[in-house]
Amino acid sequence: MTHLDSTSPAGTSPTGTDPARTRLPGGSSLLSGLPGRQGFGDASLIRVGTGSIDLGGGNPDRSLLPVDLYREAVHELMDSPGYGARLGYVPAAGTPSFRALLAEREGVSPERIIVTSGGINGLALAVLGTLDPGDTIVVDDPIFPLFLRVLDLVPGVRVVPVGVQADGLDVDELESHLAAGVRPQAVFTVPTFHNPGGAVLSAQKAQRLTELAERWGFTVFADDPYRELAFPGAEVPAAAWVRDSEHVIGVNTFSKTLGPALRLGYTVVPSALAEQYVKLRNRLDGQASGVLQDIVERIVGRPEYAQANAAAGAVYAQKARALHGALHRELPGELDIIEPQGGFFLWARFRDQEADFAALFDAAQDEGLVYQRGEWFGVTPTGGAGGASGAASAAGAASAAGAAGDAVGAANAAGPAGATGQGLGGDPSRTRGAVRLTFAELDVPTLEEGAARLGRAWRRIHG
C-alpha cells in the first residue's frame, strides 16, 4: 500500500490548484487544475473488507434521526391544499417563511439568511463571496480538510494556519500574525465541537475574534454543523457573535441533525452584502429545493425537533464515553485523548511520536479497522506554488519549528501575500500521531471492538 507522505513532488500542491498545470482540452484552468483527493477521503488509501469497522466517517446514527417528524411533515405538506402549486421555482435566497423561521432562531433579520444545499454549498458561497486570487485566509490547524478543497475554487489563495486550543482558535497566535504583517481577507474556524479536535470556542475568544475582524477588516467563516448536538451538561456559548457582527458569516447545515442526504443548510451573511449574496446564490444553482424547505420548516418549527436533538446528544455522549474508556483499556498510557463534549468525533494522539504511523494505519486495516490519520488534518507545507493549501517550504519549516513570528517573516520576505499563491505550513506536531475516530454512527460493542483492533495494531508495530 502507498503511504501518504507529508511532501509532494516539486511544483505540485497536495490539495490546491496548480496554475502551471496544463489546461485540459475543452476544460477551464479551474477544471483542469482540481486535484484528486489525497489523505482524507482518499479511497486508494483505505481497505474496507468484510467485517471491517469504519471509525473514519461523519455520518449521524440514523436510528437517532427524527424520522417520525419527517413522516408527519411530508404527509402534512402533501395533504395541504394547493400542494401542486408548491412545485414551482422558489426565490434564490429561500422561501420567505423558512427564512423567517431560521432568522428567528438565529436572532437576525430574514434578509441575512441564505438557504443553501448543505454546508459545503454554504462554505462555497462564503469563499466565492469573500476571496479573490492572491488573498490570504487564516485557518484552523488542525483543519476540516474539505474546506481546503472548497478553497480550490479560488486558485492562488494563500493559507496561514493557526492552532486550536481547548477553548477554540488560538486568538493570541492570530494576533501575532496580524502584528507581524499578515493581512487576511478571511479567517475560517469550526467554533463548536471542532472537527477534528472537539474544542468549543469560548465566548471571550469569540468576542476577541470579532473585535480583531472589525479592526483589521477580515471576515470570519464560522462553520457550525454540530452546535445542536451537545452532550448533557455541556456548555455551548450563544452564537451572538455571528448575530451581532457584520464581519462574521455563519455556515450551518441540517446534515448532522436530519441526515446528510437532505442536502439543506443556510448561511447568515452580513446585511450590507445580503443582496449580492442572493445574486451569487442565484448564479450557482438557482435555489435549494422548495419542497425540502417546506418539509424542514415543518420539522424545525416543532418543539419535538429540539427534543430529538437533545436525546441524540445523550446517546452520542454514551457512545463517546464508551470509546474513550475502551481506548484507555486497550492502550493504557499510550494516548492523550481529548474527551468530547458534543459532536461526532474523538481526537487522540499517541505519546510516542517516533512511531511509524503510516505502518500503524496499515496494521489497523489488517486488523479490520479504518480511521482518519491525524496528519490528514494538517495544513501541510509543500514546495509547490499556487494551491489553496500550498505553502512556502521555508515558511513551513519555520512554522514547524514553532516560531510563528519567524514563519510570518519568511513568508512575507517572499513577496506580497498571495503573490506566488503560497502560504505557511502548519505545525506538524499538532497532528502527528493523532487519530480522529467517530463514535456517532456505530453501537457501543462495535466501538469497543474498534478500540481493541487499534490496540492490536499498535502492539504489532510497536512491540
Side-chain angles (χ1 to χ4, degrees):
M1 165 171 287
T2 302
H3 296 153
L4 179 72
D5 197 283
S6 62
T7 60
S8 298
T12 67
S13 173
T15 55
T17 304
D18 182 354
R21 186 173 299 181
T22 302
R23 184 168 171 175
L24 297 173
S28 68
S29 297
L30 175 63
L31 184 71
S32 304
L34 291 174
R37 292 186 172 189
Q38 296 188 31
F40 184 89
D42 185 349
S44 70
L45 299 175
I46 296 173
R47 294 178 279 120
V48 182
T50 303
S52 289
I53 295 173
D54 186 359
L55 298 184
N59 277 306
D61 182 339
R62 278 158 284 195
S63 72
L64 300 177
L65 300 179
V67 292
D68 288 341
L69 293 182
Y70 264 113
R71 190 176 295 110
E72 293 169 13
V74 169
H75 285 308
E76 182 182 325
L77 173 62
M78 292 188 174
D79 291 341
S80 62
Y83 169 66
R86 296 174 178 267
L87 300 180
Y89 290 108
V90 298
T95 62
S97 59
F98 190 40
R99 292 175 75 196
L101 174 64
L102 297 174
E104 182 180 1
R105 285 166 53 86
E106 295 293 328
V108 299
S109 65
E111 290 73 24
R112 294 183 62 189
I113 299 292
I114 309 290
V115 179
T116 62
S117 300
I120 293 296
N121 183 222
L123 291 174
L125 273 176
V127 165
L128 291 172
T130 306
L131 298 174
D132 284 329
D135 281 346
T136 295
I137 182 170
V138 170
V139 301
D140 290 338
D141 183 29
I143 190 172
F144 169 50
L146 296 187
F147 179 70
L148 293 178
R149 295 177 190 157
V150 176
L151 288 181
D152 287 335
L153 295 172
V154 185
V157 170
R158 176 174 176 263
V159 174
V160 175
V162 164
V164 179
Q165 301 169 313
D167 58 349
L169 185 78
D170 188 342
V171 181
D172 287 337
E173 185 181 349
L174 169 62
E175 197 161 15
S176 73
H177 283 312
L178 295 170
V182 172
R183 294 294 176 264
Q185 185 71 13
V187 170
F188 168 82
T189 191
V190 178
T192 315
F193 312 130
H194 181 264
N195 179 9
V200 176
L201 185 72
S202 68
Q204 294 78 10
K205 278 193 170 181
Q207 180 177 350
R208 284 187 61 203
L209 183 56
T210 53
E211 288 172 353
L212 289 174
E214 290 161 2
R215 176 183 174 189
W216 294 98
F218 59 80
T219 299
V220 179
F221 302 160
D223 183 21
D224 215 3
Y226 306 102
R227 189 174 73 193
E228 296 188 83
L229 294 172
F231 295 170
E235 294 186 9
V236 179
W241 62 299
V242 178
R243 178 188 67 220
D244 296 339
S245 178
E246 287 285 297
H247 286 263
V248 180
I249 294 178
V251 180
N252 303 270
T253 180
F254 294 103
S255 292
K256 308 306 180 183
T257 58
L258 293 177
L262 180 67
R263 306 317 307 144
L264 203 66
Y266 62 98
T267 62
V268 180
V269 301
S271 57
L273 296 174
E275 183 179 348
Q276 291 303 110
Y277 269 104
V278 173
K279 295 176 183 177
L280 178 60
R281 177 75 180 86
N282 176 262
R283 283 154 176 78
L284 290 179
D285 63 346
Q287 60 180 350
S289 165
V291 172
L292 289 181
Q293 291 181 62
D294 277 345
I295 291 170
V296 174
E297 181 182 341
R298 285 170 165 78
I299 295 173
V300 174
R302 295 179 57 172
E304 291 90 345
Y305 173 67
Q307 294 165 8
N309 290 336
V315 175
Y316 289 140
Q318 294 173 357
K319 293 183 178 189
R321 286 195 298 268
L323 180 58
H324 186 272
L327 289 169
H328 278 304
R329 289 195 304 273
E330 300 293 339
L331 291 152
E334 300 289 356
L335 292 169
D336 291 318
I337 304 175
I338 297 176
E339 188 170 1
Q341 299 299 311
F344 284 4
F345 306 113
L346 180 148
W347 181 254
R349 294 180 71 245
F350 283 92
R351 292 174 179 171
D352 181 358
Q353 289 289 290
E354 302 304 317
D356 185 342
F357 294 110
L360 175 63
F361 185 69
D362 278 354
Q365 292 186 95
D366 291 340
E367 294 287 343
L369 174 68
V370 175
Y371 58 85
Q372 299 288 356
R373 286 182 59 186
E375 290 87 344
W376 297 344
F377 297 85
V379 185
T380 307
T382 74
S389 58
S393 297
S399 179
D406 291 344
V408 172
N412 290 340
T420 61
Q422 297 178 339
L424 300 179
D427 183 347
S429 69
R430 293 170 178 158
T431 56
R432 176 169 172 77
V435 294
R436 193 202 73 175
L437 308 174
T438 181
F439 49 78
E441 189 171 11
L442 304 177
D443 58 27
V444 167
T446 304
L447 293 171
E448 292 176 337
E449 174 59 23
R453 294 181 185 186
L454 182 61
R456 291 197 294 270
W458 177 253
R459 289 186 287 276
R460 283 178 59 180
I461 68 106
H462 200 262

